[in-house]
Every structure is written in structure tokens, then in C-alpha cells.
Coordinates of all heavy atoms in Angstrom, one line a residue:
M801 N 142.1 -20.9 76.0 CA 142.7 -20.3 77.1 C 144.2 -20.1 76.9 O 144.9 -21.1 76.6 CB 142.4 -21.1 78.4 CG 142.9 -20.4 79.6 SD 142.4 -21.6 80.9 CE 142.2 -20.6 82.3
N802 N 144.8 -19.0 77.1 CA 146.2 -18.8 76.9 C 146.9 -18.8 78.2 O 146.3 -18.9 79.3 CB 146.4 -17.5 76.2 CG 145.9 -16.3 76.9 OD1 145.5 -16.4 78.1 ND2 145.8 -15.2 76.3
N803 N 148.2 -18.8 78.2 CA 149.1 -18.9 79.4 C 149.4 -17.5 80.0 O 150.3 -17.4 80.8 CB 150.3 -19.6 79.1 CG 150.0 -21.1 78.8 OD1 149.1 -21.6 79.3 ND2 150.9 -21.7 78.0
S804 N 148.8 -16.4 79.5 CA 149.0 -15.1 80.0 C 148.5 -15.0 81.4 O 147.4 -15.5 81.8 CB 148.4 -14.1 79.1 OG 148.6 -12.8 79.6
W805 N 149.2 -14.2 82.3 CA 148.7 -14.1 83.6 C 147.7 -12.9 83.8 O 147.0 -12.9 84.8 CB 149.9 -13.9 84.6 CG 150.7 -12.6 84.3 CD1 151.7 -12.5 83.4 CD2 150.5 -11.3 84.9 NE1 152.2 -11.2 83.4 CE2 151.5 -10.5 84.3 CE3 149.7 -10.9 85.9 CZ2 151.6 -9.1 84.7 CZ3 149.8 -9.5 86.3 CH2 150.7 -8.7 85.7
L806 N 147.6 -12.0 82.8 CA 146.7 -10.9 82.9 C 146.0 -10.9 81.5 O 146.6 -10.8 80.5 CB 147.4 -9.6 83.1 CG 146.5 -8.4 83.2 CD1 145.6 -8.5 84.4 CD2 147.4 -7.1 83.3
T807 N 144.6 -10.9 81.6 CA 143.9 -10.9 80.3 C 142.8 -9.8 80.5 O 142.5 -9.3 81.6 CB 143.1 -12.2 80.0 OG1 142.3 -12.5 81.1 CG2 144.1 -13.3 79.8
F808 N 142.3 -9.3 79.4 CA 141.3 -8.3 79.4 C 140.1 -8.8 78.7 O 140.1 -9.5 77.7 CB 141.8 -7.0 78.6 CG 143.0 -6.4 79.3 CD1 144.3 -6.6 78.9 CD2 142.8 -5.5 80.4 CE1 145.3 -6.0 79.5 CE2 143.8 -4.9 81.0 CZ 145.1 -5.2 80.6
D809 N 138.9 -8.4 79.2 CA 137.6 -8.7 78.6 C 136.9 -7.4 78.5 O 136.0 -7.1 79.4 CB 136.9 -9.7 79.5 CG 135.6 -10.2 78.9 OD1 135.4 -10.1 77.7 OD2 134.7 -10.6 79.7
P810 N 137.2 -6.6 77.5 CA 136.6 -5.2 77.5 C 135.1 -5.2 77.4 O 134.5 -6.1 76.7 CB 137.3 -4.6 76.3 CG 137.9 -5.7 75.5 CD 138.0 -6.9 76.4
A811 N 134.5 -4.2 78.0 CA 133.0 -4.1 78.0 C 132.6 -3.5 76.6 O 131.5 -3.8 76.1 CB 132.6 -3.1 79.0
F812 N 133.5 -2.8 76.0 CA 133.3 -2.2 74.6 C 134.6 -2.5 73.8 O 135.6 -2.8 74.4 CB 133.0 -0.7 74.7 CG 131.9 -0.3 75.6 CD1 132.2 0.2 76.9 CD2 130.6 -0.5 75.2 CE1 131.1 0.6 77.7 CE2 129.6 -0.1 76.0 CZ 129.8 0.4 77.3
P813 N 134.5 -2.4 72.5 CA 135.8 -2.5 71.8 C 136.8 -1.4 72.2 O 136.4 -0.3 72.6 CB 135.4 -2.2 70.3 CG 133.9 -2.6 70.3 CD 133.4 -2.2 71.7
I814 N 138.1 -1.8 72.2 CA 139.1 -0.9 72.7 C 139.1 0.4 71.9 O 139.3 1.5 72.5 CB 140.5 -1.6 72.6 CG1 140.5 -2.8 73.6 CG2 141.6 -0.7 72.9 CD1 141.7 -3.6 73.5
W815 N 138.9 0.4 70.6 CA 138.9 1.7 69.9 C 137.8 2.6 70.3 O 138.0 3.8 70.3 CB 138.8 1.4 68.4 CG 137.5 0.8 67.9 CD1 137.3 -0.5 67.8 CD2 136.4 1.5 67.5 NE1 136.0 -0.7 67.3 CE2 135.4 0.5 67.1 CE3 136.1 2.8 67.3 CZ2 134.2 0.9 66.6 CZ3 134.8 3.2 66.9 CH2 133.9 2.2 66.5
V816 N 136.7 2.1 70.8 CA 135.6 2.9 71.3 C 136.0 3.6 72.6 O 135.7 4.7 72.9 CB 134.3 2.1 71.4 CG1 133.2 2.9 72.1 CG2 133.8 1.6 70.1
I817 N 136.6 2.8 73.5 CA 137.1 3.3 74.7 C 138.1 4.4 74.6 O 138.0 5.5 75.2 CB 137.7 2.1 75.6 CG1 136.6 1.1 75.9 CG2 138.3 2.7 76.9 CD1 137.1 -0.2 76.5
I818 N 139.0 4.2 73.6 CA 140.0 5.3 73.4 C 139.4 6.5 72.7 O 139.7 7.6 73.1 CB 141.2 4.7 72.5 CG1 142.0 3.7 73.3 CG2 142.1 5.8 72.1 CD1 143.0 2.9 72.6
L819 N 138.5 6.2 71.8 CA 137.8 7.3 71.1 C 137.0 8.2 72.0 O 136.9 9.4 71.8 CB 136.9 6.8 70.0 CG 136.3 7.8 69.0 CD1 137.4 8.4 68.1 CD2 135.3 7.1 68.1
I820 N 136.5 7.6 73.1 CA 135.6 8.4 74.0 C 136.5 9.1 75.1 O 136.3 10.2 75.4 CB 134.5 7.5 74.6 CG1 133.5 7.2 73.5 CG2 133.8 8.2 75.8 CD1 132.5 6.2 74.0
T821 N 137.4 8.3 75.7 CA 138.2 8.8 76.8 C 139.3 9.8 76.5 O 139.6 10.7 77.2 CB 138.8 7.7 77.6 OG1 139.6 6.9 76.8 CG2 137.7 6.8 78.3
L822 N 139.9 9.6 75.3 CA 141.0 10.5 74.9 C 140.5 12.0 74.8 O 141.2 12.9 75.4 CB 141.7 10.0 73.7 CG 143.0 10.7 73.3 CD1 144.0 10.5 74.4 CD2 143.5 10.2 72.0
P823 N 139.5 12.3 74.0 CA 139.0 13.7 74.0 C 138.6 14.3 75.3 O 138.9 15.4 75.6 CB 137.9 13.7 73.0 CG 138.0 12.4 72.2 CD 138.7 11.5 73.1
I824 N 138.0 13.4 76.2 CA 137.6 13.9 77.5 C 138.8 14.2 78.3 O 138.9 15.2 79.0 CB 136.7 12.9 78.2 CG1 135.3 12.8 77.4 CG2 136.4 13.3 79.6 CD1 134.5 11.6 77.9
F825 N 139.8 13.3 78.2 CA 141.1 13.5 78.9 C 141.8 14.8 78.5 O 142.2 15.6 79.3 CB 142.0 12.3 78.7 CG 143.3 12.4 79.3 CD1 143.5 12.4 80.7 CD2 144.5 12.6 78.6 CE1 144.7 12.5 81.3 CE2 145.7 12.8 79.1 CZ 145.9 12.7 80.5
I826 N 141.8 15.0 77.2 CA 142.5 16.2 76.7 C 141.7 17.5 77.1 O 142.3 18.5 77.5 CB 142.6 16.2 75.2 CG1 143.6 15.1 74.8 CG2 143.0 17.5 74.6 CD1 143.6 14.7 73.3
F827 N 140.4 17.4 77.2 CA 139.6 18.5 77.6 C 139.9 18.9 79.1 O 140.1 20.1 79.4 CB 138.1 18.2 77.4 CG 137.1 19.2 78.0 CD1 136.9 20.4 77.4 CD2 136.5 19.0 79.2 CE1 136.1 21.4 78.0 CE2 135.6 19.9 79.8 CZ 135.4 21.1 79.1
F828 N 139.9 17.9 79.9 CA 140.1 18.1 81.4 C 141.6 18.6 81.6 O 141.8 19.5 82.5 CB 139.9 16.9 82.2 CG 138.4 16.7 82.5 CD1 137.7 15.6 82.0 CD2 137.7 17.6 83.2 CE1 136.4 15.4 82.3 CE2 136.3 17.5 83.5 CZ 135.7 16.3 83.0
I829 N 142.5 18.1 80.9 CA 143.9 18.6 81.0 C 144.0 20.1 80.6 O 144.6 20.9 81.2 CB 144.9 17.7 80.3 CG1 144.9 16.3 80.9 CG2 146.3 18.3 80.3 CD1 145.3 16.2 82.3
G830 N 143.3 20.4 79.5 CA 143.3 21.8 79.0 C 142.6 22.7 80.0 O 143.1 23.8 80.3
K831 N 141.6 22.3 80.7 CA 140.9 23.1 81.7 C 141.8 23.3 82.9 O 141.9 24.3 83.6 CB 139.6 22.4 82.2 CG 138.5 22.6 81.2 CD 138.1 24.0 81.0 CE 136.9 24.2 80.1 NZ 136.6 25.6 79.9
E832 N 142.6 22.2 83.3 CA 143.5 22.4 84.4 C 144.7 23.3 84.1 O 145.1 24.1 84.9 CB 144.1 21.0 84.8 CG 143.2 20.1 85.5 CD 142.8 20.7 86.9 OE1 143.6 21.4 87.5 OE2 141.7 20.4 87.3
I833 N 145.1 23.3 82.8 CA 146.2 24.2 82.4 C 145.7 25.7 82.5 O 146.5 26.6 82.8 CB 146.8 23.8 81.1 CG1 147.5 22.5 81.2 CG2 147.7 24.9 80.5 CD1 147.9 21.9 79.9
Q834 N 144.4 25.9 82.1 CA 143.9 27.3 82.2 C 143.7 27.8 83.6 O 143.7 29.0 83.7 CB 142.5 27.3 81.5 CG 142.6 27.1 80.0 CD 141.2 27.0 79.3 OE1 140.2 27.1 80.0 NE2 141.2 26.9 78.0
R835 N 143.6 27.0 84.6 CA 143.4 27.4 85.9 C 144.8 28.0 86.4 O 145.8 27.6 86.0 CB 143.1 26.3 86.9 CG 141.7 25.7 86.6 CD 141.3 24.5 87.4 NE 141.2 24.9 88.8 CZ 141.1 24.0 89.8 NH1 141.0 22.7 89.5 NH2 141.0 24.4 91.0
T836 N 144.7 29.0 87.2 CA 145.9 29.7 87.7 C 146.1 29.4 89.2 O 146.1 30.3 90.0 CB 145.8 31.2 87.5 OG1 144.6 31.7 88.2 CG2 145.7 31.6 86.1
Q837 N 146.1 28.1 89.5 CA 146.4 27.7 90.9 C 147.7 26.9 91.0 O 148.3 26.6 89.9 CB 145.2 26.8 91.3 CG 143.9 27.5 91.5 CD 142.8 26.6 92.0 OE1 142.9 25.4 92.1 NE2 141.7 27.2 92.3
K838 N 148.1 26.7 92.2 CA 149.4 26.0 92.4 C 149.2 24.5 92.1 O 148.1 24.0 91.9 CB 149.8 26.1 93.8 CG 150.1 27.5 94.2 CD 150.6 27.6 95.6 CE 150.9 29.0 96.1 NZ 151.3 29.1 97.4
F839 N 150.3 23.8 92.0 CA 150.4 22.3 91.9 C 149.8 21.8 90.6 O 149.0 20.8 90.6 CB 149.7 21.6 93.1 CG 150.3 22.1 94.4 CD1 149.4 22.8 95.3 CD2 151.6 21.9 94.8 CE1 149.9 23.3 96.5 CE2 152.0 22.3 96.0 CZ 151.2 23.0 96.9
L840 N 150.1 22.4 89.5 CA 149.6 22.0 88.2 C 150.0 20.6 87.9 O 149.2 19.8 87.4 CB 150.1 23.0 87.1 CG 149.7 22.6 85.7 CD1 148.2 22.6 85.5 CD2 150.4 23.5 84.7
I841 N 151.3 20.3 88.1 CA 151.8 18.9 87.8 C 151.0 17.9 88.6 O 150.7 16.8 88.1 CB 153.3 18.8 88.0 CG1 154.0 19.8 87.1 CG2 153.8 17.4 87.7 CD1 153.8 19.6 85.6
L842 N 150.8 18.1 89.9 CA 150.1 17.2 90.7 C 148.7 17.0 90.3 O 148.1 15.8 90.3 CB 150.2 17.6 92.2 CG 151.6 17.5 92.8 CD1 151.5 18.1 94.2 CD2 152.1 16.1 92.8
R843 N 148.0 18.0 89.9 CA 146.6 17.9 89.4 C 146.6 17.1 88.1 O 145.7 16.3 87.9 CB 146.0 19.3 89.2 CG 145.8 20.1 90.5 CD 144.9 21.3 90.3 NE 145.2 22.0 89.1 CZ 145.9 23.2 89.1 NH1 146.3 23.7 90.3 NH2 146.1 23.8 88.0
I844 N 147.6 17.3 87.2 CA 147.6 16.6 86.0 C 147.9 15.1 86.2 O 147.2 14.2 85.6 CB 148.6 17.2 85.0 CG1 148.2 18.5 84.5 CG2 148.9 16.2 83.8 CD1 149.1 19.3 83.6
V845 N 148.8 14.8 87.2 CA 149.0 13.4 87.5 C 147.8 12.8 88.1 O 147.5 11.6 87.9 CB 150.2 13.4 88.5 CG1 150.4 12.0 89.2 CG2 151.5 13.8 87.8
A846 N 147.0 13.5 88.9 CA 145.8 13.0 89.5 C 144.8 12.7 88.4 O 144.1 11.7 88.4 CB 145.2 14.0 90.5
H847 N 144.7 13.6 87.4 CA 143.8 13.3 86.2 C 144.3 12.1 85.5 O 143.4 11.3 85.0 CB 143.7 14.5 85.3 CG 142.8 15.5 85.8 ND1 141.4 15.4 85.7 CD2 143.0 16.8 86.3 CE1 140.8 16.5 86.1 NE2 141.8 17.3 86.5
V848 N 145.6 11.9 85.3 CA 146.1 10.7 84.6 C 145.6 9.4 85.4 O 145.2 8.5 84.8 CB 147.6 10.7 84.5 CG1 148.2 9.4 84.0 CG2 148.0 11.8 83.5
F849 N 145.8 9.4 86.7 CA 145.3 8.3 87.5 C 143.8 8.0 87.4 O 143.4 6.9 87.3 CB 145.8 8.4 88.9 CG 147.2 8.1 89.2 CD1 148.0 9.0 89.8 CD2 147.8 6.9 88.8 CE1 149.4 8.8 90.0 CE2 149.1 6.7 89.0 CZ 149.9 7.6 89.6
I850 N 143.1 9.1 87.4 CA 141.6 9.0 87.3 C 141.2 8.3 85.9 O 140.4 7.4 85.9 CB 140.9 10.3 87.4 CG1 141.0 10.8 88.9 CG2 139.5 10.3 87.0 CD1 140.6 12.3 89.0
F851 N 141.8 8.8 84.8 CA 141.5 8.2 83.5 C 142.0 6.8 83.3 O 141.4 6.0 82.7 CB 141.9 9.2 82.4 CG 141.0 10.3 82.2 CD1 141.2 11.6 82.8 CD2 139.8 10.1 81.5 CE1 140.3 12.6 82.7 CE2 138.9 11.2 81.4 CZ 139.1 12.4 82.0
L852 N 143.2 6.5 83.9 CA 143.7 5.1 83.9 C 142.7 4.2 84.6 O 142.5 3.1 84.2 CB 145.1 5.0 84.4 CG 146.2 5.6 83.6 CD1 147.5 5.5 84.3 CD2 146.2 4.8 82.3
S853 N 142.2 4.7 85.7 CA 141.2 3.8 86.5 C 139.9 3.7 85.7 O 139.3 2.6 85.7 CB 141.0 4.4 87.9 OG 140.3 5.6 87.8
I854 N 139.5 4.7 85.0 CA 138.3 4.6 84.2 C 138.5 3.6 83.0 O 137.6 2.8 82.8 CB 137.8 6.0 83.7 CG1 137.3 6.8 84.9 CG2 136.7 5.9 82.6 CD1 137.0 8.3 84.5
I855 N 139.6 3.8 82.4 CA 139.9 2.8 81.3 C 140.0 1.4 81.8 O 139.6 0.5 81.2 CB 141.2 3.3 80.6 CG1 140.9 4.6 79.8 CG2 141.7 2.2 79.6 CD1 142.2 5.2 79.2
G856 N 140.6 1.3 83.0 CA 140.7 -0.1 83.6 C 139.3 -0.7 83.9 O 139.2 -1.9 83.8
L857 N 138.4 0.2 84.3 CA 137.0 -0.4 84.5 C 136.4 -0.8 83.2 O 135.7 -1.9 83.2 CB 136.2 0.7 85.2 CG 136.4 1.1 86.6 CD1 135.6 2.3 87.0 CD2 136.1 -0.1 87.5
F858 N 136.6 -0.1 82.1 CA 136.0 -0.5 80.9 C 136.8 -1.7 80.3 O 136.2 -2.5 79.5 CB 136.0 0.6 79.9 CG 135.0 1.6 80.2 CD1 135.3 3.0 80.4 CD2 133.7 1.3 80.3 CE1 134.4 3.9 80.6 CE2 132.7 2.2 80.5 CZ 133.0 3.6 80.7
L859 N 138.1 -1.9 80.5 CA 138.8 -3.0 80.0 C 138.5 -4.3 80.8 O 138.8 -5.4 80.2 CB 140.3 -2.7 80.0 CG 140.8 -1.7 78.9 CD1 142.2 -1.5 79.0 CD2 140.4 -2.2 77.5
R860 N 138.1 -4.2 82.0 CA 137.8 -5.3 82.8 C 138.9 -6.4 82.9 O 138.8 -7.5 82.3 CB 136.5 -6.0 82.4 CG 135.3 -5.1 82.6 CD 134.0 -5.7 82.4 NE 133.9 -6.8 81.4 CZ 132.8 -7.3 80.9 NH1 131.7 -6.8 81.3 NH2 132.8 -8.2 80.0
P861 N 140.1 -6.0 83.5 CA 141.2 -7.0 83.5 C 140.8 -8.1 84.5 O 140.1 -8.0 85.4 CB 142.3 -6.2 84.1 CG 141.7 -5.1 84.9 CD 140.4 -4.8 84.1
S862 N 141.4 -9.3 84.2 CA 141.2 -10.4 85.1 C 142.6 -11.2 85.2 O 143.4 -11.2 84.3 CB 140.2 -11.4 84.5 OG 140.5 -11.8 83.2
Y863 N 142.7 -11.8 86.3 CA 143.9 -12.6 86.6 C 143.6 -14.1 86.5 O 142.7 -14.6 87.1 CB 144.4 -12.3 88.0 CG 145.5 -13.1 88.5 CD1 146.8 -12.9 88.0 CD2 145.4 -14.1 89.4 CE1 147.9 -13.6 88.4 CE2 146.4 -14.8 89.9 CZ 147.7 -14.6 89.4 OH 148.8 -15.3 89.8
L864 N 144.4 -14.8 85.6 CA 144.1 -16.2 85.4 C 145.1 -17.0 86.3 O 146.2 -16.7 86.4 CB 144.4 -16.6 84.0 CG 143.5 -16.0 82.9 CD1 143.9 -16.4 81.5 CD2 142.1 -16.5 83.2
E865 N 144.5 -18.0 86.9 CA 145.3 -18.8 87.8 C 144.9 -20.3 87.5 O 143.8 -20.7 87.5 CB 145.0 -18.5 89.3 CG 145.8 -19.3 90.2 CD 145.5 -18.9 91.7 OE1 145.1 -17.8 91.9 OE2 145.6 -19.8 92.5
Q866 N 146.0 -21.1 87.2 CA 145.7 -22.5 86.9 C 146.1 -23.3 88.1 O 147.2 -23.2 88.6 CB 146.5 -22.9 85.7 CG 146.1 -22.2 84.4 CD 146.9 -22.7 83.2 OE1 147.8 -23.5 83.3 NE2 146.7 -22.1 82.1
K867 N 145.2 -24.1 88.5 CA 145.4 -25.0 89.6 C 145.5 -26.4 89.2 O 144.6 -26.8 88.4 CB 144.3 -24.8 90.7 CG 144.3 -23.4 91.3 CD 143.2 -23.4 92.4 CE 143.2 -22.0 93.0 NZ 142.1 -21.9 94.0
A868 N 146.4 -27.1 89.7 CA 146.5 -28.6 89.4 C 145.6 -29.3 90.4 O 145.8 -29.2 91.6 CB 148.0 -29.0 89.5
T869 N 144.7 -30.0 89.9 CA 143.8 -30.8 90.7 C 144.0 -32.3 90.4 O 144.3 -32.7 89.3 CB 142.3 -30.4 90.5 OG1 142.0 -30.6 89.1 CG2 142.1 -29.0 90.8
S870 N 143.7 -33.1 91.4 CA 143.8 -34.5 91.2 C 142.4 -35.0 91.6 O 141.8 -34.5 92.5 CB 144.9 -35.1 92.0 OG 144.7 -34.9 93.3
K871 N 142.0 -36.1 91.0 CA 140.7 -36.7 91.3 C 140.9 -37.6 92.5 O 141.7 -38.5 92.5 CB 140.2 -37.4 90.1 CG 139.9 -36.5 89.0 CD 139.4 -37.2 87.8 CE 139.2 -36.2 86.7 NZ 138.7 -36.8 85.5
I872 N 140.1 -37.4 93.5 CA 140.2 -38.2 94.7 C 138.8 -38.7 95.1 O 137.8 -38.0 95.0 CB 140.7 -37.3 95.9 CG1 142.0 -36.8 95.6 CG2 140.6 -38.1 97.2 CD1 142.5 -35.8 96.7
I873 N 138.8 -40.0 95.4 CA 137.5 -40.6 95.9 C 137.7 -41.1 97.3 O 138.7 -41.8 97.6 CB 137.1 -41.8 95.0 CG1 136.9 -41.4 93.6 CG2 135.9 -42.5 95.6 CD1 136.5 -42.5 92.6
I874 N 136.8 -40.7 98.2 CA 136.9 -41.1 99.6 C 136.1 -42.4 99.7 O 134.8 -42.3 99.4 CB 136.4 -40.0 100.5 CG1 137.3 -38.8 100.4 CG2 136.4 -40.6 102.0 CD1 136.9 -37.6 101.2
L875 N 136.7 -43.5 100.1 CA 136.0 -44.7 100.2 C 135.6 -44.9 101.7 O 136.5 -45.0 102.6 CB 136.8 -45.9 99.7 CG 137.1 -45.8 98.2 CD1 138.1 -46.9 97.8 CD2 135.9 -45.8 97.4
T876 N 134.4 -45.0 102.0 CA 133.9 -45.2 103.4 C 133.7 -46.7 103.6 O 133.6 -47.5 102.6 CB 132.7 -44.4 103.7 OG1 131.7 -44.8 102.7 CG2 132.9 -42.9 103.5
P877 N 133.6 -47.1 104.8 CA 133.3 -48.5 105.1 C 132.0 -48.9 104.4 O 131.1 -48.2 104.3 CB 133.2 -48.6 106.6 CG 133.9 -47.4 107.1 CD 133.8 -46.4 106.1
D878 N 131.9 -50.2 103.9 CA 130.8 -50.7 103.2 C 130.5 -50.0 101.9 O 129.3 -49.9 101.5 CB 129.5 -50.8 104.1 CG 129.8 -51.6 105.4 OD1 130.5 -52.6 105.3 OD2 129.2 -51.2 106.4
Y879 N 131.5 -49.6 101.2 CA 131.3 -48.9 99.9 C 130.9 -50.0 98.9 O 131.3 -51.2 99.0 CB 132.4 -48.1 99.4 CG 133.7 -48.9 99.1 CD1 133.9 -49.4 97.8 CD2 134.6 -49.2 100.1 CE1 135.0 -50.1 97.5 CE2 135.8 -49.9 99.8 CZ 136.0 -50.4 98.5 OH 137.1 -51.1 98.2
D880 N 130.2 -49.6 97.8 CA 129.7 -50.5 96.8 C 130.7 -50.4 95.6 O 130.9 -49.3 95.0 CB 128.3 -50.1 96.3 CG 127.7 -51.2 95.4 OD1 128.3 -52.2 95.2 OD2 126.6 -50.9 94.9
N881 N 131.3 -51.6 95.2 CA 132.3 -51.6 94.1 C 131.6 -51.1 92.8 O 132.3 -50.5 92.0 CB 132.8 -53.0 93.9 CG 133.8 -53.3 95.0 OD1 134.4 -52.5 95.6 ND2 134.0 -54.6 95.3
L882 N 130.4 -51.4 92.6 CA 129.8 -51.0 91.3 C 129.6 -49.5 91.2 O 129.8 -48.9 90.1 CB 128.4 -51.7 91.2 CG 128.4 -53.2 91.1 CD1 127.0 -53.8 91.1 CD2 129.2 -53.7 89.8
K883 N 129.3 -48.9 92.3 CA 129.2 -47.4 92.3 C 130.5 -46.7 92.1 O 130.6 -45.7 91.5 CB 128.5 -46.9 93.6 CG 127.0 -47.3 93.6 CD 126.4 -46.7 94.9 CE 124.9 -47.1 94.9 NZ 124.3 -46.6 96.2
V884 N 131.5 -47.2 92.7 CA 132.9 -46.7 92.6 C 133.3 -46.8 91.2 O 133.9 -45.8 90.6 CB 133.9 -47.3 93.5 CG1 135.3 -46.9 93.3 CG2 133.5 -47.1 95.0
D885 N 133.1 -47.9 90.5 CA 133.5 -48.0 89.1 C 132.7 -47.1 88.2 O 133.2 -46.7 87.1 CB 133.3 -49.5 88.6 CG 134.3 -50.4 89.3 OD1 135.3 -49.9 89.7 OD2 134.0 -51.6 89.4
S886 N 131.5 -46.7 88.5 CA 130.7 -45.9 87.6 C 131.1 -44.4 87.8 O 130.7 -43.6 86.9 CB 129.2 -46.1 87.9 OG 128.9 -45.6 89.2
V887 N 131.8 -44.1 88.8 CA 132.2 -42.7 89.0 C 133.3 -42.4 88.1 O 133.5 -41.6 87.4 CB 132.6 -42.4 90.5 CG1 133.1 -41.0 90.7 CG2 131.4 -42.7 91.4

């Protein structure tokens, strides 16, 4: 376990994810450029966010949190010394 606060556990190797998503991304951006509608830049930005979220799903990021714990034993009345020592 490393001390990084963000780690990735990809569902597939990263090169496969890039090899599949990059041509699809380029295809969709090309189709958006061919359209003759307004707000081209906003549509391209929307596609960038969509593909970043898809890549994020395949990379499966996780947040590591280390908690300091201490061992505590609650001793109730009439506890058995032998059992406490074996814990």
C-alpha cells in the first residue's frame, strides 16, 4: 500500500482504454465539427467531459484513507483474567 491519496484500479489495461476511447473521441469530435449548428465549442467541451467520465469509469479511481486505531478492551464487572490475557 502506498501513501498516495488517489489510486487507480483499472478494469482493463490503460493502453486498451486509450486505444478504444481515443478513436471514438476523435470520431465524435469530427462529427460535431461537420454539423452546422451554433455553440461548437460548448458541444466539444461537453464531449470532452463525457469521455473523461467514461475513462474515469474504466480506471476505477479510489480514495485511500488511513485511520489510526487503538486496541481497546472494555472490562465489565466480574471479568475473567484468563480470557482477557488470551485476547
Side-chain angles (χ1 to χ4, degrees):
M801 185 181 206
N802 57 14
N803 291 331
S804 177
W805 63 275
L806 180 65
T807 59
F808 296 99
D809 183 25
F812 306 103
I814 294 176
W815 65 270
V816 172
I817 295 171
I818 292 172
L819 188 68
I820 292 173
T821 57
L822 190 61
I824 295 171
F825 176 71
I826 292 171
F827 173 76
F828 280 118
I829 295 300
K831 286 296 187 182
E832 284 296 330
I833 291 172
Q834 289 177 357
R835 293 175 67 186
T836 57
Q837 293 182 350
K838 294 181 181 179
F839 307 113
L840 174 65
I841 299 298
L842 292 177
R843 291 193 318 254
I844 289 175
V845 168
H847 278 286
V848 168
F849 282 126
I850 290 169
F851 280 98
L852 285 177
S853 64
I854 290 171
I855 289 172
L857 287 173
F858 285 124
L859 288 178
R860 298 189 323 193
S862 61
Y863 175 73
L864 294 178
E865 183 177 330
Q866 294 182 3
K867 294 183 180 179
T869 59
S870 60
K871 297 178 182 179
I872 299 174
I873 297 177
I874 299 175
L875 301 175
T876 58
D878 298 325
Y879 67 91
D880 189 6
N881 285 334
L882 297 175
K883 289 183 181 177
V884 172
D885 290 337
S886 66
V887 175

